[in-house]
Amino acid sequence: MSPATATLIAAAIAKSIELSFVTVFVTFLGQVLSRRALVKQSKGITISEMSMRQWVMQPGTMITHWQTVRYAALTFLGIITLSGAVIAMLYTTASESLVSPKLKLGPVEDRMLHGKVATQFANVNFIQKNCQTPISESVDPDYAGSTCIAIEHSGQSYHNYMQYLSNWTNSIASGTGSDDLSKRPAPVAMLYDNTTVQGSWISNVNMTEISLKYSTGNYSRIVTNVTMAMPHAGVFAAMRDPVNSIMQPQDLEGLGQYEVQASVPSPAVNVICASMQREELAPIVFSEWPLGNGTAVNLTNWPKDFGIPEWPGFINSTAVDDLFEFGEKYGRRHPVFPKLPVDYNTVLNVTGWFADSIYLLATSATGNYTMCSLRASLTTKCSTRYSASMSGGSMNAHCEDSDDDLAYIKSYSNATEGVISKDWAVFAAEWGRALSLDAGKSDGAASNARLLTQLIPTEQGLNPSLPSIAEALAVLSGSTLLLSSLDSPFIHFWNYSTTVSFLEEPQHQAFRATLRTKDYASGPNQPWQQMFYSVLFLTFATNLFCLVYFLVRHGLVTDFIEPQNLFSLSLNSPPSHALDGACGSGPENDQLIMSWHIKMDQQREHFYIENGQRPPTKRKVTRPLDFEMDTSPIVNTYTKLSSRHTSLL
């Protein structure tokens, strides 16, 4: 139902309740006064009391005929009638404020949501198979998928990178730079072109301390070690799965909105960069080996046929083995680069045997060398937050919050933190080539490589005015984490058959979450609107009071207060000196509190109204008993009107 329709229906119901209330109350008032006028031993009714029905039906008469209010308002029935008049005036307003449905964010609810799982994390074959391209495998059976993914890598990574650099530009301009990683610009990305994604820097370490730790001799090594977590992109599709019955923004004419926090693992990438001297690189650069003899490497068959030891053999150790966890001790092979890149260039190693990382070797403008490793895992320290509206959505990784009950580790306390994904290393190899990070093999001087080498730190610690190459590489690789988590499990492992890496028919998997949706709800928008609750309560209480009265009295009598009944009754009643002078300008003063009784001539079954005793007065009567018409203000009006012809108005 659209908001306009809901508002119209609510207004119509409120108006019908208001009209029915007025009808019931006026009927109640007429019954009370008619019964009192008929009872011989009662005090009768007064003209002020007869006018009370107008207070409810025409509240403005309480101002224009304030004298009647003066005499009747303080009686028990007058108080009830005033209350009814206030209710009749304010009920529609109260209903609009408190009852009428409005679109608002409801309370946070604990839910078990479900999403479809189709593949393992970072399954390159599945990702390539589902990449949207008009060039099918029948046209290009070998490279259709990888070409499509390479283009997507380029578009997404560079878009995210430029946004990140723009944020850094603004940070520098505003003077808010910091050497604390948690206070530096956060990693950003984009999902489906309408959802902004924000990552989080986690597992932060002291860059100065780690640099000093791995410095050797007189060489002060510069080390940067950053870990970036991204939200689980599969939450996006899960929120739109019909099985979860979540109303989407477009279902409410674009005014809908919802917020979810999911207890799912988050993909993360760790980037370690360390400055190295040429002699330290010699064991892992082929051109520096005696076999290479310092000559240019023929890259056509690299790294095949170059005499590089095969797995499980290990090559010579380096000065940074413990930093990058190389060697037999850690079960990780050293990378081997074909050559040392020239200034402003980078080369990649993505062909290591059983590799779980990719490696980059960069040369700065001053000829200094820096080697970086990138490896991905699923972290248990985060939860994924996602909010959606018609204008788009936002998704972020909420990490390392001890008060976050939806951190994945709170759902799976035995989950292992940071298990490195070998599949991601294969996927990231395509990413590195797509971004020309390997162009330095042929001295390609790619623009991306030039900018990255300009971000190589020159001092230990983080520069408050410039991002480091490690941060830049992490942001560039952020799109690979999002693609890797699409359609992947909402738990930290593949709990389907180990003989297949993806499912032909996706299966639903449950995960714990909290959900807050914008839906139709009643209630005050502002605290002061709570005062209208009294109007709703009085409406109910007054209706209930009238119902009890009608049930107790067993039937209705003729309502002599209704204008047509009162006119007939008065016309057929004998004249009364109690209203002398009132025929021209209406009753006033003591005439308003004169009691009247309805009597019946039983022989003729004729009803008539008769005044009772005149109440004691505390004022002089200003009008003479023998009222002369020519002294009344109404005479001039009557003279003018009685001589006119009839008109429509």
Side-chain angles (χ1 to χ4, degrees):
M1 184 183 298
S2 67
T5 302
T7 301
L8 178 61
I9 292 175
I13 293 175
K15 196 63 180 179
S16 64
I17 293 175
E18 177 187 323
L19 293 175
S20 64
F21 169 79
V22 171
T23 302
V24 169
F25 189 82
V26 168
T27 301
F28 158 77
L29 194 59
Q31 291 297 301
V32 172
L33 294 177
S34 297
R35 289 176 183 274
R36 186 193 296 175
L38 289 168
V39 176
K40 294 181 179 180
Q41 303 302 321
S42 70
K43 63 180 182 179
I45 59 175
T46 67
I47 295 177
S48 293
E49 292 172 331
M50 295 180 198
S51 67
M52 288 194 295
R53 63 179 282 128
Q54 297 302 111
W55 301 357
V56 180
M57 301 179 67
Q58 295 176 297
T61 58
M62 290 189 291
I63 299 175
T64 58
H65 295 77
W66 58 270
Q67 298 93 338
T68 62
V69 180
R70 173 187 177 187
Y71 292 116
L74 296 181
T75 64
F76 176 73
L77 189 59
I79 293 173
I80 295 178
T81 306
L82 280 176
S83 173
V86 172
I87 292 172
M89 287 188 292
L90 297 180
Y91 181 80
T92 301
T93 304
S95 177
E96 174 64 26
S97 299
L98 303 177
V99 181
S100 179
K102 308 174 188 65
L103 286 173
K104 61 173 63 177
L105 284 172
V108 177
E109 302 176 359
D110 291 322
R111 290 277 301 273
M112 286 299 295
L113 300 178
H114 298 78
K116 287 185 177 180
V117 174
T119 180
Q120 292 178 340
F121 175 75
N123 186 338
V124 63
N125 295 325
F126 179 85
I127 296 173
Q128 290 181 358
K129 179 182 177 181
N130 289 274
C131 187
Q132 301 298 309
T133 174
I135 305 301
S136 63
E137 291 184 355
S138 61
V139 177
D140 187 358
D142 296 326
Y143 297 105
S146 60
T147 301
C148 178
I149 286 298
I151 294 173
E152 185 165 4
H153 281 320
S154 299
Q156 293 292 337
S157 295
Y158 284 137
H159 175 275
N160 302 340
Y161 191 35
M162 286 306 301
Q163 181 61 53
Y164 177 71
L165 294 178
S166 175
N167 293 345
W168 257 104
T169 302
N170 295 335
S171 175
I172 295 171
S174 61
T176 57
S178 173
D179 59 359
D180 183 349
L181 186 59
S182 62
K183 298 178 181 178
R184 292 159 75 88
V188 292
M190 182 68 72
L191 185 65
Y192 297 125
D193 296 326
N194 68 347
T195 301
T196 57
V197 180
Q198 180 171 301
S200 178
W201 300 115
I202 63 173
S203 304
N204 299 336
V205 298
N206 188 302
M207 305 300 176
T208 303
E209 291 182 0
I210 195 173
S211 297
L212 293 173
K213 178 180 179 180
Y214 291 102
S215 296
T216 56
N218 295 326
Y219 181 64
S220 296
R221 196 178 311 283
I222 300 174
V223 179
T224 50
N225 182 347
V226 301
T227 303
M228 179 193 73
M230 281 288 182
H232 194 303
V235 172
F236 181 95
M239 294 303 99
R240 287 158 177 78
D241 196 312
V243 73
N244 292 316
S245 301
I246 298 176
M247 189 174 293
Q248 299 302 312
Q250 59 270 22
D251 296 333
L252 295 172
E253 295 186 345
L255 300 177
Q257 182 182 347
Y258 59 83
E259 300 171 353
V260 65
Q261 183 174 3
S263 183
V264 294
S266 296
V269 62
N270 173 251
V271 183
I272 301 175
C273 294
S275 61
M276 297 183 69
Q277 301 178 89
R278 181 167 185 160
E279 56 270 23
E280 293 178 325
L281 288 169
I284 56 175
V285 177
F286 181 80
S287 62
E288 300 296 302
W289 291 3
L291 184 63
N293 197 27
T295 59
V297 179
N298 183 356
L299 300 176
T300 304
N301 294 324
W302 175 263
K304 299 178 181 179
D305 306 325
F306 281 84
I308 300 174
E310 296 183 359
W311 178 267
F314 290 89
I315 61 176
N316 296 330
S317 62
T318 67
V320 290
D321 281 4
D322 288 333
L323 174 61
F324 290 100
E325 298 183 346
F326 292 147
E328 192 170 0
K329 173 182 177 182
Y330 300 101
R332 181 177 286 115
R333 283 284 299 262
H334 296 75
V336 178
F337 299 96
K339 56 172 287 189
L340 292 170
V342 298
D343 296 355
Y344 294 119
N345 276 259
T346 61
V347 295
L348 280 176
N349 175 276
V350 295
T351 57
W353 291 268
F354 302 98
D356 60 5
S357 311
I358 65 170
Y359 301 92
L360 177 139
L361 183 60
T363 305
S364 68
T366 57
N368 295 321
Y369 301 106
T370 296
M371 185 174 71
C372 299
S373 70
L374 292 85
R375 59 191 64 152
S377 63
L378 291 174
T379 180
T380 64
K381 300 177 180 180
C382 307
S383 61
T384 293
R385 291 180 173 178
Y386 173 58
S387 64
S389 63
M390 197 61 185
S391 60
S394 63
M395 182 179 290
N396 68 286
H398 184 69
C399 302
E400 296 182 331
D401 181 359
S402 59
D403 296 327
D404 184 10
D405 292 332
L406 288 171
Y408 182 72
I409 193 64
K410 300 288 184 67
S411 297
Y412 286 87
S413 57
N414 60 346
T416 303
E417 168 65 22
V419 177
I420 307 301
S421 171
K422 294 181 179 180
D423 291 333
W424 182 85
V426 178
F427 184 45
E430 299 288 347
W431 163 81
R433 297 188 189 99
L435 269 60
S436 301
L437 295 180
D438 203 26
K441 288 180 180 179
S442 56
D443 301 337
S447 298
N448 188 29
R450 183 179 183 87
L451 181 55
L452 285 173
T453 56
Q454 291 172 330
L455 299 179
I456 294 175
T458 57
E459 297 179 355
Q460 293 178 343
L462 294 174
N463 185 348
S465 301
L466 204 65
S468 66
I469 185 175
E471 294 169 275
L473 287 171
V475 172
L476 277 168
S477 66
S479 61
T480 67
L481 299 181
L482 296 177
L483 287 172
S484 297
S485 61
L486 285 173
D487 299 311
S488 70
F490 297 100
I491 55 178
H492 61 288
F493 59 94
W494 177 251
N495 62 335
Y496 300 95
S497 174
T498 56
T499 60
V500 294
S501 60
F502 64 89
L503 304 174
E504 294 293 342
E505 186 67 28
Q507 302 293 317
H508 278 102
Q509 192 173 83
F511 57 91
R512 196 165 62 92
T514 59
L515 180 65
R516 189 184 186 198
T517 61
K518 178 179 281 189
D519 205 343
Y520 292 115
S522 299
N525 289 330
Q526 301 293 333
W528 62 267
Q529 292 178 336
Q530 295 181 15
M531 68 180 184
F532 288 118
Y533 280 119
S534 60
V535 176
L536 300 182
F537 173 76
L538 287 174
T539 303
F540 171 76
T542 305
N543 275 323
L544 182 61
F545 178 79
C546 293
L547 175 62
V548 172
Y549 177 84
F550 292 144
L551 292 176
V552 171
R553 291 304 182 181
H554 301 293
L556 303 177
V557 300
T558 301
D559 187 353
F560 292 103
I561 310 303
E562 290 185 355
Q564 69 274 19
N565 295 337
L566 186 59
F567 178 77
S568 300
L569 182 66
S570 302
L571 196 62
N572 290 283
S573 299
S576 172
H577 288 286
L579 292 179
D580 285 345
C583 59
S585 58
E588 60 182 27
N589 299 331
D590 291 341
Q591 293 173 335
L592 296 173
I593 55 176
M594 172 68 68
S595 65
W596 297 85
H597 291 269
I598 297 174
K599 297 183 179 181
M600 184 181 72
D601 185 343
Q602 295 185 357
Q603 292 182 352
R604 295 188 300 161
E605 295 185 355
H606 172 71
F607 286 89
Y608 60 95
I609 188 168
E610 185 179 73
N611 65 286
Q613 294 181 353
R614 181 183 296 273
T617 178
K618 298 180 180 179
R619 301 178 294 276
K620 289 184 179 180
V621 178
T622 58
R623 179 179 296 157
L625 286 177
D626 295 329
F627 184 77
E628 297 295 335
M629 287 294 294
D630 59 355
T631 63
S632 172
I634 197 64
V635 171
N636 293 331
T637 304
Y638 173 78
T639 302
K640 292 179 181 179
L641 295 178
S642 62
S643 61
R644 285 188 180 181
H645 296 289
T646 59
S647 64
L648 293 177
L649 298 177

